[in-house]
PDB file of all heavy atoms in Angstrom:
ATOM      1  N   ASP A 168     -69.105 141.397 -12.175  1.00 97.00           N
ATOM      2  CA  ASP A 168     -69.765 142.017 -13.318  1.00 97.00           C
ATOM      3  C   ASP A 168     -69.493 141.193 -14.575  1.00 97.00           C
ATOM      4  O   ASP A 168     -68.427 140.588 -14.709  1.00 97.00           O
ATOM      5  CB  ASP A 168     -69.206 143.447 -13.471  1.00 97.00           C
ATOM      6  CG  ASP A 168     -70.047 144.313 -14.409  1.00 97.00           C
ATOM      7  OD1 ASP A 168     -71.267 144.074 -14.501  1.00 97.00           O
ATOM      8  OD2 ASP A 168     -69.484 145.238 -15.032  1.00 97.00           O
ATOM      9  N   GLU A 169     -70.461 141.196 -15.455  1.00 96.00           N
ATOM     10  CA  GLU A 169     -70.279 140.605 -16.795  1.00 96.00           C
ATOM     11  C   GLU A 169     -70.006 139.112 -16.789  1.00 96.00           C
ATOM     12  O   GLU A 169     -69.154 138.632 -17.547  1.00 96.00           O
ATOM     13  CB  GLU A 169     -69.133 141.310 -17.542  1.00 96.00           C
ATOM     14  CG  GLU A 169     -69.413 142.753 -17.811  1.00 96.00           C
ATOM     15  CD  GLU A 169     -68.345 143.423 -18.677  1.00 96.00           C
ATOM     16  OE1 GLU A 169     -67.286 142.798 -18.918  1.00 96.00           O
ATOM     17  OE2 GLU A 169     -68.584 144.551 -19.106  1.00 96.00           O
ATOM     18  N   LEU A 170     -70.717 138.386 -15.965  1.00 95.00           N
ATOM     19  CA  LEU A 170     -70.595 136.934 -16.048  1.00 95.00           C
ATOM     20  C   LEU A 170     -71.333 136.489 -17.310  1.00 95.00           C
ATOM     21  O   LEU A 170     -72.473 136.889 -17.528  1.00 95.00           O
ATOM     22  CB  LEU A 170     -71.208 136.283 -14.813  1.00 95.00           C
ATOM     23  CG  LEU A 170     -71.045 134.772 -14.707  1.00 95.00           C
ATOM     24  CD1 LEU A 170     -69.583 134.404 -14.493  1.00 95.00           C
ATOM     25  CD2 LEU A 170     -71.885 134.201 -13.578  1.00 95.00           C
ATOM     26  N   GLY A 171     -70.654 135.705 -18.135  1.00 92.00           N
ATOM     27  CA  GLY A 171     -71.336 135.185 -19.319  1.00 92.00           C
ATOM     28  C   GLY A 171     -70.911 135.814 -20.629  1.00 92.00           C
ATOM     29  O   GLY A 171     -71.232 135.305 -21.692  1.00 92.00           O
ATOM     30  N   TYR A 172     -70.204 136.941 -20.573  1.00 90.00           N
ATOM     31  CA  TYR A 172     -69.736 137.528 -21.823  1.00 90.00           C
ATOM     32  C   TYR A 172     -68.675 136.655 -22.460  1.00 90.00           C
ATOM     33  O   TYR A 172     -68.617 136.495 -23.667  1.00 90.00           O
ATOM     34  CB  TYR A 172     -69.178 138.937 -21.596  1.00 90.00           C
ATOM     35  CG  TYR A 172     -70.261 139.982 -21.575  1.00 90.00           C
ATOM     36  CD1 TYR A 172     -70.764 140.478 -20.384  1.00 90.00           C
ATOM     37  CD2 TYR A 172     -70.802 140.451 -22.773  1.00 90.00           C
ATOM     38  CE1 TYR A 172     -71.771 141.422 -20.367  1.00 90.00           C
ATOM     39  CE2 TYR A 172     -71.817 141.395 -22.766  1.00 90.00           C
ATOM     40  CZ  TYR A 172     -72.297 141.874 -21.558  1.00 90.00           C
ATOM     41  OH  TYR A 172     -73.295 142.801 -21.555  1.00 90.00           O
ATOM     42  N   LEU A 173     -67.820 136.104 -21.597  1.00 89.00           N
ATOM     43  CA  LEU A 173     -66.773 135.222 -22.095  1.00 89.00           C
ATOM     44  C   LEU A 173     -66.967 133.857 -21.454  1.00 89.00           C
ATOM     45  O   LEU A 173     -67.392 133.760 -20.312  1.00 89.00           O
ATOM     46  CB  LEU A 173     -65.397 135.778 -21.703  1.00 89.00           C
ATOM     47  CG  LEU A 173     -65.038 137.132 -22.316  1.00 89.00           C
ATOM     48  CD1 LEU A 173     -63.825 137.729 -21.625  1.00 89.00           C
ATOM     49  CD2 LEU A 173     -64.776 136.978 -23.815  1.00 89.00           C
ATOM     50  N   PRO A 174     -66.667 132.801 -22.216  1.00 87.00           N
ATOM     51  CA  PRO A 174     -66.799 131.470 -21.620  1.00 87.00           C
ATOM     52  C   PRO A 174     -65.775 131.272 -20.499  1.00 87.00           C
ATOM     53  O   PRO A 174     -64.689 131.837 -20.535  1.00 87.00           O
ATOM     54  CB  PRO A 174     -66.505 130.527 -22.801  1.00 87.00           C
ATOM     55  CG  PRO A 174     -65.803 131.347 -23.814  1.00 87.00           C
ATOM     56  CD  PRO A 174     -66.203 132.762 -23.612  1.00 87.00           C
ATOM     57  N   VAL A 175     -66.175 130.500 -19.501  1.00 90.00           N
ATOM     58  CA  VAL A 175     -65.307 130.263 -18.351  1.00 90.00           C
ATOM     59  C   VAL A 175     -64.830 128.814 -18.432  1.00 90.00           C
ATOM     60  O   VAL A 175     -65.649 127.901 -18.576  1.00 90.00           O
ATOM     61  CB  VAL A 175     -66.110 130.483 -17.048  1.00 90.00           C
ATOM     62  CG1 VAL A 175     -65.263 130.192 -15.831  1.00 90.00           C
ATOM     63  CG2 VAL A 175     -66.655 131.913 -16.989  1.00 90.00           C
ATOM     64  N   ASP A 176     -63.527 128.595 -18.370  1.00 90.00           N
ATOM     65  CA  ASP A 176     -63.041 127.209 -18.481  1.00 90.00           C
ATOM     66  C   ASP A 176     -63.244 126.461 -17.159  1.00 90.00           C
ATOM     67  O   ASP A 176     -63.680 127.035 -16.155  1.00 90.00           O
ATOM     68  CB  ASP A 176     -61.578 127.169 -18.951  1.00 90.00           C
ATOM     69  CG  ASP A 176     -60.621 127.764 -17.921  1.00 90.00           C
ATOM     70  OD1 ASP A 176     -61.040 128.017 -16.767  1.00 90.00           O
ATOM     71  OD2 ASP A 176     -59.451 127.974 -18.262  1.00 90.00           O
ATOM     72  N   LYS A 177     -62.897 125.183 -17.187  1.00 90.00           N
ATOM     73  CA  LYS A 177     -63.162 124.308 -16.033  1.00 90.00           C
ATOM     74  C   LYS A 177     -62.541 124.847 -14.745  1.00 90.00           C
ATOM     75  O   LYS A 177     -63.198 124.948 -13.709  1.00 90.00           O
ATOM     76  CB  LYS A 177     -62.617 122.907 -16.370  1.00 90.00           C
ATOM     77  CG  LYS A 177     -62.604 121.934 -15.209  1.00 90.00           C
ATOM     78  CD  LYS A 177     -63.917 121.176 -15.118  1.00 90.00           C
ATOM     79  CE  LYS A 177     -63.922 120.157 -13.997  1.00 90.00           C
ATOM     80  NZ  LYS A 177     -64.547 120.685 -12.768  1.00 90.00           N
ATOM     81  N   GLN A 178     -61.256 125.215 -14.855  1.00 91.00           N
ATOM     82  CA  GLN A 178     -60.584 125.699 -13.642  1.00 91.00           C
ATOM     83  C   GLN A 178     -61.211 127.006 -13.145  1.00 91.00           C
ATOM     84  O   GLN A 178     -61.444 127.184 -11.941  1.00 91.00           O
ATOM     85  CB  GLN A 178     -59.092 125.905 -13.918  1.00 91.00           C
ATOM     86  CG  GLN A 178     -58.385 126.531 -12.732  1.00 91.00           C
ATOM     87  CD  GLN A 178     -56.896 126.281 -12.750  1.00 91.00           C
ATOM     88  OE1 GLN A 178     -56.478 125.126 -12.783  1.00 91.00           O
ATOM     89  NE2 GLN A 178     -56.120 127.338 -12.752  1.00 91.00           N
ATOM     90  N   GLY A 179     -61.514 127.900 -14.091  1.00 91.00           N
ATOM     91  CA  GLY A 179     -62.143 129.171 -13.735  1.00 91.00           C
ATOM     92  C   GLY A 179     -63.477 128.946 -13.039  1.00 91.00           C
ATOM     93  O   GLY A 179     -63.800 129.585 -12.036  1.00 91.00           O
ATOM     94  N   ALA A 180     -64.248 128.005 -13.584  1.00 92.00           N
ATOM     95  CA  ALA A 180     -65.564 127.713 -13.020  1.00 92.00           C
ATOM     96  C   ALA A 180     -65.427 127.167 -11.597  1.00 92.00           C
ATOM     97  O   ALA A 180     -66.164 127.569 -10.694  1.00 92.00           O
ATOM     98  CB  ALA A 180     -66.289 126.709 -13.912  1.00 92.00           C
ATOM     99  N   ASP A 181     -64.455 126.277 -11.411  1.00 92.00           N
ATOM    100  CA  ASP A 181     -64.239 125.703 -10.075  1.00 92.00           C
ATOM    101  C   ASP A 181     -63.856 126.783  -9.068  1.00 92.00           C
ATOM    102  O   ASP A 181     -64.332 126.787  -7.928  1.00 92.00           O
ATOM    103  CB  ASP A 181     -63.130 124.639 -10.112  1.00 92.00           C
ATOM    104  CG  ASP A 181     -63.626 123.354 -10.763  1.00 92.00           C
ATOM    105  OD1 ASP A 181     -64.860 123.190 -10.871  1.00 92.00           O
ATOM    106  OD2 ASP A 181     -62.785 122.539 -11.188  1.00 92.00           O
ATOM    107  N   LEU A 182     -62.984 127.692  -9.505  1.00 93.00           N
ATOM    108  CA  LEU A 182     -62.524 128.759  -8.606  1.00 93.00           C
ATOM    109  C   LEU A 182     -63.672 129.691  -8.224  1.00 93.00           C
ATOM    110  O   LEU A 182     -63.848 130.042  -7.061  1.00 93.00           O
ATOM    111  CB  LEU A 182     -61.395 129.554  -9.274  1.00 93.00           C
ATOM    112  CG  LEU A 182     -60.074 128.792  -9.433  1.00 93.00           C
ATOM    113  CD1 LEU A 182     -59.109 129.564 -10.327  1.00 93.00           C
ATOM    114  CD2 LEU A 182     -59.444 128.548  -8.060  1.00 93.00           C
ATOM    115  N   LEU A 183     -64.437 130.047  -9.258  1.00 92.00           N
ATOM    116  CA  LEU A 183     -65.574 130.931  -9.010  1.00 92.00           C
ATOM    117  C   LEU A 183     -66.558 130.276  -8.048  1.00 92.00           C
ATOM    118  O   LEU A 183     -67.087 130.908  -7.135  1.00 92.00           O
ATOM    119  CB  LEU A 183     -66.255 131.219 -10.354  1.00 92.00           C
ATOM    120  CG  LEU A 183     -66.988 132.534 -10.507  1.00 92.00           C
ATOM    121  CD1 LEU A 183     -66.075 133.708 -10.181  1.00 92.00           C
ATOM    122  CD2 LEU A 183     -67.513 132.662 -11.934  1.00 92.00           C
ATOM    123  N   PHE A 184     -66.765 128.987  -8.257  1.00 92.00           N
ATOM    124  CA  PHE A 184     -67.677 128.255  -7.382  1.00 92.00           C
ATOM    125  C   PHE A 184     -67.180 128.265  -5.939  1.00 92.00           C
ATOM    126  O   PHE A 184     -67.952 128.476  -5.004  1.00 92.00           O
ATOM    127  CB  PHE A 184     -67.850 126.805  -7.871  1.00 92.00           C
ATOM    128  CG  PHE A 184     -68.822 126.044  -7.039  1.00 92.00           C
ATOM    129  CD1 PHE A 184     -70.183 126.291  -7.152  1.00 92.00           C
ATOM    130  CD2 PHE A 184     -68.397 125.110  -6.102  1.00 92.00           C
ATOM    131  CE1 PHE A 184     -71.103 125.610  -6.349  1.00 92.00           C
ATOM    132  CE2 PHE A 184     -69.300 124.424  -5.299  1.00 92.00           C
ATOM    133  CZ  PHE A 184     -70.652 124.676  -5.430  1.00 92.00           C
ATOM    134  N   GLN A 185     -65.880 128.069  -5.792  1.00 91.00           N
ATOM    135  CA  GLN A 185     -65.320 128.073  -4.428  1.00 91.00           C
ATOM    136  C   GLN A 185     -65.516 129.418  -3.747  1.00 91.00           C
ATOM    137  O   GLN A 185     -65.868 129.484  -2.564  1.00 91.00           O
ATOM    138  CB  GLN A 185     -63.822 127.765  -4.482  1.00 91.00           C
ATOM    139  CG  GLN A 185     -63.536 126.295  -4.643  1.00 91.00           C
ATOM    140  CD  GLN A 185     -62.069 126.030  -4.345  1.00 91.00           C
ATOM    141  OE1 GLN A 185     -61.592 126.291  -3.244  1.00 91.00           O
ATOM    142  NE2 GLN A 185     -61.360 125.530  -5.336  1.00 91.00           N
ATOM    143  N   ILE A 186     -65.282 130.481  -4.506  1.00 92.00           N
ATOM    144  CA  ILE A 186     -65.442 131.823  -3.937  1.00 92.00           C
ATOM    145  C   ILE A 186     -66.882 132.046  -3.504  1.00 92.00           C
ATOM    146  O   ILE A 186     -67.158 132.513  -2.397  1.00 92.00           O
ATOM    147  CB  ILE A 186     -65.024 132.910  -4.971  1.00 92.00           C
ATOM    148  CG1 ILE A 186     -63.522 132.900  -5.159  1.00 92.00           C
ATOM    149  CG2 ILE A 186     -65.485 134.304  -4.557  1.00 92.00           C
ATOM    150  CD1 ILE A 186     -62.722 133.076  -3.888  1.00 92.00           C
TER     151      ILE A 186
END
Side-chain angles (χ1 to χ4, degrees):
D168 194 29
E169 296 186 350
L170 185 67
Y172 277 99
L173 296 167
V175 178
D176 66 11
K177 171 89 178 96
Q178 174 159 303
D181 286 343
L182 291 170
L183 208 55
F184 183 74
Q185 281 194 60
I186 289 304

